[in-house]
């Protein structure tokens, strides 16, 4: 099981023919989380060959239309497809009232329940969703309206069991293998004890992905991205418009790279480009002068994430 | 000026990779009217090379999500593109409350006013939009919820002036030409009178387009389509599922053709196909056995409409 990050839309507010509205899917085992859900996200899932039914949680950064107007259609389709499994919906306060007032979406017309995780504007940080294999954390960032960034974190896995070595020490029972892997000491039939440290490698921390948009460069962005395998950070503007970025609550590509550098991520992908940049290679170059492993987020590409090497 | 009808989406409730959600654009001179506005309509306008700014009116048939969830995004983009011209929005009661409650869409965030034309469920018929060159009429049809069909009607134009014949009768002044075209008798300098009937052909009735979805076959559909150049009629099901069509408030392709035949339209295009029909050629064949000039509505094709020949 390798987690994959799939940008579905990398435009800012106005979609273009080449770039779609904000949404990024994260696939981990059989589970899928969506970060943002701009208009057309359900079509982009089809384009990516991803089934709507795999979505367990949708996490919205803020209530600007380009980040949530795709919710209506996707929730409506889930009912038409007769979904029964609960869906977790994470987002700023207000989202529940919007959806529950909408013909075609509200609870009495749905075939499935929504577990709302409502974020209020006094939030400092919160784990907003958790499964056996990963957690999603939210922290407020710095936009014109209340907005959060997210960190998807695979959980730490037990170290690898060295089966050859265990056998050499006389361990042959699969229940003993399992116990050792779980960190327990086992006693063999002949009374000898085998310590897990002897046959099991160190625990393997899971890789992380940070999703940060729309925001000025901020401390929370760096915290969310700390040591992540992959950071998706908005770069609405280039070096030509830092003033406009600051005024509108956005970042330049160079500022996004500054966050990647501080957070010591493995890789930075830029998105949420203003429609004024037909060609974003200039923005990528500006970012690379600060943080080398940067590229423009490519829609529908599957970015696999791995823990940092030793 | 020839009116063009451009289907943007011909799927029923669940979009497929091949078919998009309900919307059809009608272009008449510099003016555009949208009938329905499913999710993604603003992308389909781009695909069709049509500018959002040309839209003067949007007419919604009913408040099922696949027919109106694209409104949020399109209205939001209009503000981002700094539209100032008023937009007419026609639809069943409830639509105003939905849009005016929505962050990113409500009046205080828009750069332009919306003139709502609200249709109540006791409607019999109404002209819901009118310009110098065309009218749009609504009538209730027969679905599970209150739903209307629309007729787009180009206005009657004055007959052609036979300039050669007018000259032969001594008319040389352009003001006299204009008066004759407007149906007035003119008096020449030598006292002779020229009647308009002598030099102007008969008035030319404008062609019509009827947009009928979602409905069981009904009298109002035939009335809306009477003598139209083009009828877009839903054909959610085929001959295999007439019972399901009746239960869900839809039509079969054959029933749609029956309406086309009764209304004596020039051409019928079918749409709103259930996603279960990967290939709709069977439905088209069923319809053709009743009304020959039938085809499946082709997305992004420009159907030009002309008045019936003499």
């Amino acid at each position: 099981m390798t987690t994959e990050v799939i940008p579905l839309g990398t435009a800012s507010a106005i979609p273009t023919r080449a770039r779609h509205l904000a949404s990024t899917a994260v696939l981990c085992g059989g589970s899928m989380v969506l970060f943002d859900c701009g208009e057309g996200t359900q079509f982009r899932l089809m384009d990516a060959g991803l089934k709507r039914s795999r979505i367990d949680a949708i996490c919205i950064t803020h209530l600007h239309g380009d980040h949530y107007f795709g919710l209506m259609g996707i929730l409506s389709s889930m009912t038409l497809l007769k979904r029964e499994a609960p869906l977790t919906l994470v987002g700023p306060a207000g989202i529940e009232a919007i959806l529950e007032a909408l013909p075609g979406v509200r609870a009495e017309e749905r075939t499935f329940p929504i577990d709302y995780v409502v974020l209020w504007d006094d939030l400092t940080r919160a784990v907003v969703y958790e499964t056996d294999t990963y957690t999603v954390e939210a922290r407020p960032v710095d936009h014109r309206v209340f907005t959060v960034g997210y960190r998807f974190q695979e959980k730490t896995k037990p170290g690898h069991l060295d089966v050859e070595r265990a056998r050499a020490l006389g361990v042959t029972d699969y229940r003993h293998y399992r116990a050792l892997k779980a960190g327990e000491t086992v006693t063999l039939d002949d009374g000898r004890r085998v310590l897990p440290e002897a046959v099991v490698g160190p625990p393997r921390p899971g890789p992380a992905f940070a999703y940060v948009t729309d925001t000025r460069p901020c401390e929370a962005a760096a915290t969310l991205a700390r040591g992540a395998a992959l950071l998706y950070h908005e770069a609405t503007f280039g070096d030509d418009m830092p003033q406009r970025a600051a005024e509108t609550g956005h970042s330049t590509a160079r500022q996004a790279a500054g966050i990647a550098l501080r957070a010591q991520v493995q890789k930075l992908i830029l998105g949420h480009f203003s429609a004024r940049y037909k060609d974003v290679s200039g923005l990528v170059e500006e970012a690379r002068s600060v943080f080398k492993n940067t590229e423009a987020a490519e829609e529908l590409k599957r970015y696999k994430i791995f823990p940092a090497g030793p």
Side-chain angles (χ1 to χ4, degrees), chain A residues 235-247 251-255 273-284 286-287:
Chain A
T236 311
F237 297 101
D239 278 354
D240 53 326
M241 306 191 93
Q243 189 63 33
R244 178 130 175 89
E247 284 163 12
S251 302
T252 65
R254 183 180 298 273
Q255 289 167 336
F273 302 109
S274 163
R276 62 169 55 73
Y277 301 104
K278 303 289 172 234
D279 174 5
V280 298
S281 59
L283 276 66
V284 173
E286 288 162 14

Side-chain angles (χ1 to χ4, degrees), chain A residues 175-186 194-197 200:
Chain A
R175 284 166 301 187
H176 285 161
Y177 290 141
R178 205 194 286 159
L180 285 163
K181 235 186 138 160
E184 295 163 23
T185 299
V186 301
V194 179
L195 303 178
E197 301 86 287
V200 179

